[in-house]
Amino acid sequence: MARIFFNGQAMTGGPFHAKVHGHLIGPAATAPGYRFFSVRDECPALLADPGVDTAVEGELYDLPLERLRDVVLPGEPLELELGVIELADGTPALSMVLARGQLERGVHREITEHGGWRAYLATLGREA
């Protein structure tokens, strides 16, 4: 099993939640020290930055490794990669993070100030 933090379309009510349904542990947040980006307004991406004091809301899941490998990861966009983050309680978890080299491209909108994907989507008049 793999503890993985989702903060976008796989969360409860999102269009990709069926891929992880039944494995929810509960609501969670990152520890402070993360920036948050929108990838084409289709999905979010975390980026560790020890220079910031912001945390991002999401949900924690406990997925079988095979489900992560065979169902979740193949559907993730190329702009994201699997990484390890720190949760608010100090424990590590897997999460989809902004892939190396993506920040330098300068094409992803920073949405850190919203604190979470649902709050950001609400500014667009959309729901997760």
Side-chain angles (χ1 to χ4, degrees), residues 1-6 46 59-61 63 65 68 73 81-87 91-97:
M1 298 294 271
R3 285 174 27 111
I4 185 164
F5 175 80
F6 288 113
L46 287 171
E59 296 175 343
L60 188 62
Y61 290 78
L63 287 181
L65 288 172
L68 177 61
L73 292 179
E81 64 187 14
L82 190 62
V84 178
I85 63 157
E86 182 181 353
L87 297 174
T91 62
L94 296 172
S95 187
M96 299 310 297
V97 299

Side-chain angles (χ1 to χ4, degrees), residues 19-48:
K19 293 181 178 187
V20 297
H21 178 73
H23 299 281
L24 177 67
I25 294 172
T30 67
Y34 289 90
R35 293 168 65 194
F36 200 45
F37 293 85
S38 173
V39 177
R40 295 181 307 278
D41 289 344
E42 295 172 7
C43 65
L46 287 171
L47 179 68

Side-chain angles (χ1 to χ4, degrees), residues 45-127:
L46 287 171
L47 179 68
D49 184 341
V52 300
D53 193 31
T54 51
V56 176
E57 298 175 352
E59 296 175 343
L60 188 62
Y61 290 78
D62 197 15
L63 287 181
L65 288 172
E66 296 80 11
R67 185 163 197 79
L68 177 61
R69 180 193 65 213
D70 299 339
V71 177
V72 175
L73 292 179
E76 293 294 335
L78 295 175
E79 294 90 348
L80 303 181
E81 64 187 14
L82 190 62
V84 178
I85 63 157
E86 182 181 353
L87 297 174
D89 66 5
T91 62
L94 296 172
S95 187
M96 299 310 297
V97 299
L98 195 62
R100 287 166 280 214
Q102 287 296 313
L103 183 63
E104 295 77 14
R105 290 186 58 215
V107 298
H108 307 299
R109 177 181 299 161
E110 184 159 359
I111 59 172
T112 303
E113 73 234 24
H114 299 287
W117 186 243
R118 290 181 178 128
Y120 172 67
L121 289 182
T123 69
L124 303 178
R126 295 173 30 200
E127 293 182 13

